[in-house]
Amino acid sequence: MDLTDMISGGTEEQQIPEQKLTKEEYAAKKQQEREEVWAEVDSQAQGVFQDGEKLKGFLDFMAECNTQRTPNLLLIYGQHPDFKVVRSYERWREEHRSVKAGEHGITYMISTEYEKDGEMRRGYTIGKGFDISQMSGKPLEERPQRSLTELIGTVLKDQSVRVQIEDDLPDKVQAQYNPRYRTIYIRNGMSEVTTFHALNRELACAALDQHTGTYSRQKVSAQAYCAAYVIAKRYGVDVTGFNLEYIAQRNECGKKDPQELRDFLNDVRQASYSIRNHIERNFGAKEQEYITDEFAIGDPVKIPETKDEKPSEKASGKEKKAKSQPER
């Protein structure tokens, strides 16, 4: 009797348990894993800048994706550019979500904390990330559509830098951040779309100012331009006026050192997240609500005077007079 079809795996060789690695072998394996992941990150960074269309694709993805470190943005984009909210399995579990049957994670850098020399430090480990579409549970709510007037008002509200109308700006200067006065001077009377883009570009410049006296507009203007594109794309504002091909050419179409390209994208990320967080915070802020105070302070208590005194409590006129005189 042939039992091959009756016993699953009956003719397969038994799997040999994985040999336990020594501490040195394990470290070498993890180091190789990290090097392979970083090689993929660098490859993606160079690919993003090959031309304007590829840069546009990545910036569109950045606009929709949840906040991530730059290496993770590149890793996710290279594996699943349609993913929008990616977290580690542990983070999803904290939100009481589980992975749907048949779904597989993607290569992902997971932030970690560890203690060394008596102090807490931050690092990362290579693990798996999952998009919200792969998880059970209620889907996220759609982002509400906002009018341009509403968006501009929200951007301007409670800004950390001063924004001032300037009628004497040179021709072709829509707005400009002045690091000395930490003020954005902006031209009045532009279209709403142009005003929104110009304002966000200069806010991005301000976000990239480290306030160390080394700020250079020339060094951050291209990154700020891209950040303004990301913000516009996220909130559904027209982006046809942007020329991303020029940005790709400035970065030698991805032929620059990968670290330099990653630094550029990290500046775009930092500046756009700064503006994005400001907008989301203002949209999420509720107006002051007045409610009954649990600890309201009452009015002073007035003790009524007694009209009829008991005989035993009556005092002679002399005693009353003596009592009314102040002590010396």
Side-chain angles (χ1 to χ4, degrees):
M1 175 182 282
D2 187 359
L3 298 177
T4 301
D5 296 330
M6 299 179 67
I7 301 177
S8 177
T11 59
E12 293 179 2
E13 295 181 4
Q14 289 186 339
Q15 290 187 348
I16 301 174
E18 187 177 350
Q19 185 179 359
K20 239 183 176 180
L21 300 176
T22 65
K23 185 177 179 180
E24 291 75 16
E25 289 172 334
Y26 180 79
K29 180 182 177 182
K30 287 297 179 182
Q31 180 62 29
Q32 182 181 356
E33 184 180 52
R34 291 186 176 209
E35 288 176 357
E36 289 173 354
V37 170
W38 278 108
E40 178 61 24
V41 169
D42 287 344
S43 175
Q44 286 296 327
Q46 290 178 312
V48 160
F49 287 97
Q50 281 185 7
D51 55 49
E53 277 302 306
K54 288 197 170 52
L55 179 57
K56 176 183 179 298
F58 180 75
L59 295 182
D60 289 350
F61 163 77
M62 184 188 289
E64 293 299 323
C65 189
N66 63 321
T67 53
Q68 299 282 350
R69 298 173 60 219
T70 301
N72 268 340
L73 286 171
L74 290 164
L75 284 173
I76 298 167
Y77 183 66
Q79 297 170 89
H80 270 284
D82 56 323
F83 280 4
K84 293 183 179 180
V85 183
V86 180
R87 293 173 183 155
S88 67
Y89 174 76
E90 290 75 16
R91 283 287 307 280
W92 283 125
R93 189 170 59 177
E94 290 173 4
E95 297 185 16
H96 309 290
R97 291 179 183 265
S98 57
V99 181
K100 295 176 182 177
E103 295 288 354
H104 301 282
I106 61 173
T107 303
Y108 188 69
M109 292 186 182
I110 303 172
S111 297
T112 59
E113 287 188 352
Y114 62 96
E115 185 177 351
K116 186 175 182 180
D117 300 330
E119 62 180 32
M120 295 303 297
R121 302 187 181 186
R122 294 186 65 84
Y124 71 93
T125 184
I126 306 299
K128 293 294 181 181
F130 296 87
D131 184 61
I132 190 167
S133 63
Q134 300 176 294
M135 312 301 293
S136 63
K138 185 179 178 181
L140 296 181
E141 295 180 3
E142 291 292 327
R143 201 162 45 247
Q145 293 295 316
R146 310 283 186 177
S147 69
L148 254 177
T149 301
E150 190 178 10
L151 282 168
I152 293 170
T154 305
V155 170
L156 288 171
K157 182 181 177 182
D158 299 329
Q159 268 299 340
S160 58
V161 294
R162 185 182 177 191
V163 180
Q164 179 178 319
I165 295 174
E166 180 57 63
D167 295 324
D168 296 329
L169 287 174
D171 291 340
K172 297 184 180 180
V173 175
Q174 300 162 332
Q176 197 152 119
Y177 167 66
N178 187 313
R180 181 178 179 183
Y181 301 107
R182 297 189 184 181
T183 299
I184 294 172
Y185 298 100
I186 188 165
R187 186 185 299 278
N188 199 18
M190 297 184 293
S191 71
E192 284 186 323
V193 172
T194 302
T195 299
F196 184 74
H197 294 329
L199 178 59
N200 286 322
R201 184 192 63 214
E202 298 312 305
L203 285 170
C205 286
L208 295 172
D209 181 4
Q210 301 298 313
H211 308 303
T212 58
T214 59
Y215 172 84
S216 167
R217 183 178 182 81
Q218 186 176 4
K219 291 180 180 179
V220 301
S221 58
Q223 296 93 315
Y225 183 83
C226 290
Y229 176 91
V230 170
I231 293 299
K233 193 68 181 180
R234 180 170 182 81
Y235 295 103
V237 180
D238 187 284
V239 293
T240 54
F242 286 83
N243 180 6
L244 296 177
E245 183 64 38
Y246 176 61
I247 301 297
Q249 291 174 2
R250 279 188 52 149
N251 285 279
E252 300 175 10
C253 296
K255 295 179 182 178
K256 282 188 174 182
D257 180 76
Q259 176 67 59
E260 190 174 346
L261 297 174
R262 283 194 282 114
D263 288 344
F264 183 101
L265 294 175
N266 195 53
D267 284 345
V268 176
R269 166 192 170 277
Q270 176 189 334
S272 61
Y273 282 3
S274 173
I275 300 168
R276 170 172 155 180
N277 291 341
H278 179 85
I279 293 174
E280 299 295 340
R281 186 166 54 247
N282 281 342
F283 277 140
K286 294 182 179 179
E287 293 295 328
Q288 175 70 43
E289 295 180 359
Y290 294 98
I291 59 175
T292 304
D293 193 343
E294 181 182 359
F295 298 99
I297 301 170
D299 293 330
V301 178
K302 293 182 179 180
I303 302 175
E305 295 181 1
T306 304
K307 293 181 179 180
D308 298 325
E309 294 179 343
K310 294 180 181 179
S312 60
E313 293 177 345
K314 289 183 179 180
S316 64
K318 290 182 180 180
E319 288 176 332
K320 287 182 179 179
K321 188 175 180 180
K323 288 180 180 179
S324 66
Q325 291 177 352
E327 295 182 1
R328 297 187 179 223

